[in-house]
Amino acid sequence: MPMAKPFLITLRRTAIAAVTATGVAATAIGAGSIAAPSLAFARSAPESFADLAEQVTDAVVNISAATTVTEQRSVPTPQLPPGSPFQEFFDDFFNQRGQNGEQGPGTPRPQRRSNSLGSGFVIDASGLVITNNHVIGDANDVTVIFTDGRKLKAEVVGKDAKVDLAVLRVKSDKPLKAVKFGDSDKSRIGDWVIAIGNPFGLGGSVSAGIVSARNRDISDQSYGHYIQTDAAINKGNSGGPLFNMDGDVIGINTAILSPSGGSIGIGFSVPSNMAKPVIDQLVQFGETRRGWLGVRIQNVDDAIAESLGLGSPRGALVAGIDDKGPAKPAGIEAGDVIVKFDGVDVKESKDLPRIVGQTPVGKEVAVQIVRKGKEETKTVKLGRLEDGEKTRLASNNNSAPEADKPVVKRALGLELSPVTDELRKRYSIKETVRGVVVSRVDPNSPAADKRIQPGDVIVEVQQEPVTTPDAMTRRIDALKKDGKKSALLLVANAQGEVRFVAVGLD
């Protein structure tokens, strides 16, 4: 027992200070019980990884990315009162320093080069190289360094920040050693893998381990379910390949979970099956072209599932509709729960962006929804995500809210007021937000547990709009008479961002 204590402390520290090698926060993973493996299925470790390493190492490269930045340093000029007799003297002094080649007004500031190192691998003998987007960043000089010492300037074909991939092209006077992608979906937890890369500038480093887990979410980005491995991955391994025992690339190493910046045996790789379509688009178009539905979504918890008659939590709850998105003309509405998209089950909300993003732009797909307890199917012609992001800042309908008497009502532990000019000013509520303003929250109420706070606006109750406190309290009373255990509220913050909240009626 005493020996276990430091290990548990380490896990707790990791959970608090988990940072990837690239500065992106990663999801901490707790410890669980470990079952003894069945001897009938036990498999001995390979006698050596040497043959595999020799087969693929020449296709793995080092990436040197240099960015030229302008120094911001300047010589401070004395601050003199207006009309000071010394003003002309100091002006002449600093201007003269500039003419003598030193820093002064009008003198070009010096530039310096910022360098970063990473890894990559060749996928086409003609010169296509894959790495991470964060390895090259905004570099204006990228060099690919091969195992034989050759250094070739690289052109950036395209890059994608969402999945953290970049495609480079180099020109070689002879065919390059290339590797191919494997099927990451066939990789199993416990399979042997090797990682090859350039950790801390030590090019050609090989480390071995197993697939520790699959479908890991390591950040708030919505498009990646990553392979976890205990093969040693450190700073500089980013962009390097993760090989299976057949010598196929099943992942691109992109991040680690570590409190110190060094490997503790928890590394993450972009699965090859997620990377391949992105790479194909970058090669063909120089940019990504992801499908776009035009909805804002949130998770379905137990209380929301009960309120909507779903039975068990599933799907993605539509919290809002983009006015210029494909979902609106297809008839999808806020409050709908998307349970299937193009024949693929949506088990939880985080699945939907990935499924939609991998669907071709312009494709007509069937979207199965649950609306007020009944299943319906809508047909949507997908737009392009990148176009949707450009129009997302378009202004909404600026119609003013209807006038209402300043009557305060109480329900669900909330003090409710109509939207008035005074309350809009007090809580900085946008003109486009309509509903009932929360002016006070009982700290011991279920509403407080759901993080409803003063300044929030109740837009709907049980998927019906409310514009006055009286209308909201009547709706709550009706739900209680119907025997409902909770009320589903659509809550907007001052900026108009909405979310669904199920609040108990007891």
Side-chain angles (χ1 to χ4, degrees), residues 122-145:
V122 181
I123 62 167
D124 189 294
S126 66
L128 283 181
V129 178
I130 306 302
T131 188
N132 283 148
N133 173 67
H134 77 258
V135 169
I136 62 171
D138 295 322
N140 45 30
D141 186 4
V142 180
T143 302
V144 176
I145 306 169

Side-chain angles (χ1 to χ4, degrees), residues 147-165:
T147 54
D148 60 6
R150 283 188 301 158
K151 298 182 179 181
L152 299 179
K153 295 294 183 182
E155 166 200 358
V156 178
V157 175
K159 53 186 181 178
D160 176 43
K162 286 184 170 64
V163 180
D164 195 14
L165 292 177

Side-chain angles (χ1 to χ4, degrees), residues 65 250 319 440 444 468 480:
I250 61 167
R440 184 181 176 278
N444 298 316
T468 67
K480 290 180 178 178

Side-chain angles (χ1 to χ4, degrees), residues 244-308:
N244 62 17
M245 291 298 97
D246 294 324
D248 297 331
V249 178
I250 61 167
I252 297 102
N253 302 321
T254 191
I256 63 173
L257 187 152
S258 172
S260 62
S263 175
I264 60 170
I266 303 178
F268 302 99
S269 302
V270 180
S272 58
N273 286 4
M274 184 172 70
K276 285 188 289 187
V278 174
I279 291 169
D280 290 343
Q281 290 180 5
L282 294 177
V283 171
Q284 184 176 357
F285 307 112
E287 59 186 0
T288 54
R289 297 188 177 184
R290 291 187 171 91
W292 177 50
L293 186 58
V295 296
R296 296 186 300 279
I297 58 174
Q298 68 178 72
N299 286 327
V300 177
D301 58 21
D302 290 328
I304 290 176
E306 190 275 334
S307 298
L308 295 176

Side-chain angles (χ1 to χ4, degrees), residues 269-481:
S269 302
V270 180
S272 58
N273 286 4
M274 184 172 70
K276 285 188 289 187
V278 174
I279 291 169
D280 290 343
Q281 290 180 5
L282 294 177
V283 171
Q284 184 176 357
F285 307 112
E287 59 186 0
T288 54
R289 297 188 177 184
R290 291 187 171 91
W292 177 50
L293 186 58
V295 296
R296 296 186 300 279
I297 58 174
Q298 68 178 72
N299 286 327
V300 177
D301 58 21
D302 290 328
I304 290 176
E306 190 275 334
S307 298
L308 295 176
L310 285 174
S312 59
R314 60 191 175 109
L317 176 59
V318 178
I321 301 290
D322 193 306
D323 286 338
K324 296 185 178 181
K328 186 172 184 178
I332 296 176
E333 301 174 356
D336 292 343
V337 180
I338 298 174
V339 294
K340 185 174 288 189
F341 183 90
D342 200 19
V344 180
D345 289 332
V346 179
K347 296 179 181 179
E348 48 188 331
S349 62
K350 66 182 181 181
D351 295 335
L352 186 62
R354 175 177 53 84
I355 298 170
V356 175
Q358 293 176 351
T359 306
V361 175
K363 181 179 181 180
E364 290 191 352
V365 299
V367 181
Q368 189 172 320
I369 64 171
V370 176
R371 178 180 295 172
K372 296 183 179 179
K374 297 181 180 180
E375 290 193 357
E376 302 180 21
T377 299
K378 304 293 184 181
T379 300
V380 181
K381 184 177 181 180
L382 291 189
R384 184 185 172 198
L385 176 65
E386 293 78 6
D387 293 338
E389 290 174 338
K390 294 176 183 177
T391 60
R392 193 164 293 169
L393 298 178
S395 59
N396 295 319
N397 185 356
N398 291 321
S399 58
E402 298 177 3
D404 193 13
K405 296 180 180 180
V407 177
V408 175
K409 293 284 186 178
R410 292 176 176 81
L412 305 177
L414 305 173
E415 284 192 1
L416 307 167
S417 303
V419 178
T420 63
D421 291 340
E422 190 274 332
L423 288 177
R424 284 195 188 278
K425 183 177 180 180
R426 181 193 303 176
Y427 297 116
S428 301
I429 300 172
K430 290 179 64 174
E431 288 295 326
T432 54
V433 179
R434 306 175 68 179
V436 180
V437 180
V438 176
S439 53
R440 184 181 176 278
V441 181
D442 184 342
N444 298 316
S445 67
D449 294 337
K450 297 293 184 176
R451 298 182 180 179
I452 297 176
Q453 56 189 358
D456 285 343
V457 178
I458 310 300
V459 180
E460 294 179 0
V461 176
Q462 212 68 18
Q463 299 180 277
E464 290 188 8
V466 290
T467 56
T468 67
D470 279 336
M472 179 167 171
T473 54
R474 287 195 301 268
R475 186 70 180 128
I476 297 297
D477 291 340
L479 291 175
K480 290 180 178 178
K481 290 180 181 179

Side-chain angles (χ1 to χ4, degrees), residues 476-504:
I476 297 297
D477 291 340
L479 291 175
K480 290 180 178 178
K481 290 180 181 179
D482 291 341
K484 296 291 185 181
K485 296 180 180 180
S486 61
L488 185 65
L489 310 181
L490 181 61
V491 183
N493 62 15
Q495 289 72 44
E497 298 171 343
V498 296
R499 70 187 193 279
F500 281 97
V501 177
V503 179

